[in-house]
């Protein structure tokens, strides 16, 4: 089941995207309607404006997963092993492909139970 696709700029339309300002410390925080156990993260960047490292944390900055996307336009999916339900999740982006630290994300989906 898709837990969340709704966040500012993530409306399911392929013509829209979330873009960041430049610099370090880029992240997206998602507040779920109810706690869920996350099993997968699906994300699509614009090539050249991607992150090569993503760290998923939950309530209270508890680290859940780290994964390493390719600098590509394709939709990428990563398994996440979470043992307890979470309601607030933050995806932090590191090793940015763009020299100025800008990101463009076309889609972000969280899957779980």
């Amino acid at each position: 089941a898709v837990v969340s696709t709704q966040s500012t700029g993530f409306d399911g339309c392929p013509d829209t995207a979330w873009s960041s300002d430049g610099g370090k410390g880029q992240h997206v925080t998602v507040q779920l309607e109810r706690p869920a156990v996350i099993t997968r993260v699906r994300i699509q960047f614009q090539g050249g404006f991607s992150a090569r490292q993503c760290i998923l944390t939950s309530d209270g900055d508890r680290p859940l997963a780290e994964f390493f996307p390719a600098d590509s336009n394709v939709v990428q999916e990563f398994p996440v092993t979470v043992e307890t339900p979470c309601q607030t999740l933050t995806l932090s982006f590191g090793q940015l492909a763009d020299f100025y630290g800008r990101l463009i994300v076309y889609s972000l989906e969280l899957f779980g139970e």
Side-chain angles (χ1 to χ4, degrees):
V2 176
V3 175
S4 177
T5 59
Q6 297 302 311
S7 182
T8 303
F10 304 118
D11 57 7
C13 178
D15 297 328
T16 61
W18 172 81
S19 61
S20 72
D21 289 333
K24 294 183 179 182
Q26 305 296 348
H27 68 277
V28 172
T29 299
V30 177
Q31 179 73 38
L32 303 176
E33 291 180 13
R34 63 186 185 303
V37 175
I38 304 302
T39 58
R40 293 179 291 146
V41 175
R42 185 182 294 163
I43 192 165
Q44 181 181 16
F45 294 101
Q46 178 174 320
F49 295 91
S50 65
R52 293 187 205 105
Q53 176 192 36
C54 295
I55 300 172
L56 184 66
T57 58
S58 72
D59 315 299
D61 294 326
R62 184 171 45 109
L64 300 175
E66 181 177 23
F67 48 93
F68 302 92
D71 182 18
S72 171
N73 294 24
V74 301
V75 176
Q76 300 176 66
E77 189 168 296
F78 301 92
V80 177
T81 304
V82 179
E83 298 178 8
T84 58
C86 305
Q87 191 161 5
T88 303
L89 297 150
T90 299
L91 187 59
S92 300
F93 302 104
Q95 299 179 18
L96 305 178
D98 179 60
F99 177 78
Y100 298 103
R102 298 169 295 183
L103 283 171
I104 299 176
V105 180
Y106 284 104
S107 66
L108 173 64
E109 296 176 280
L110 305 173
F111 295 85
E113 304 170 353

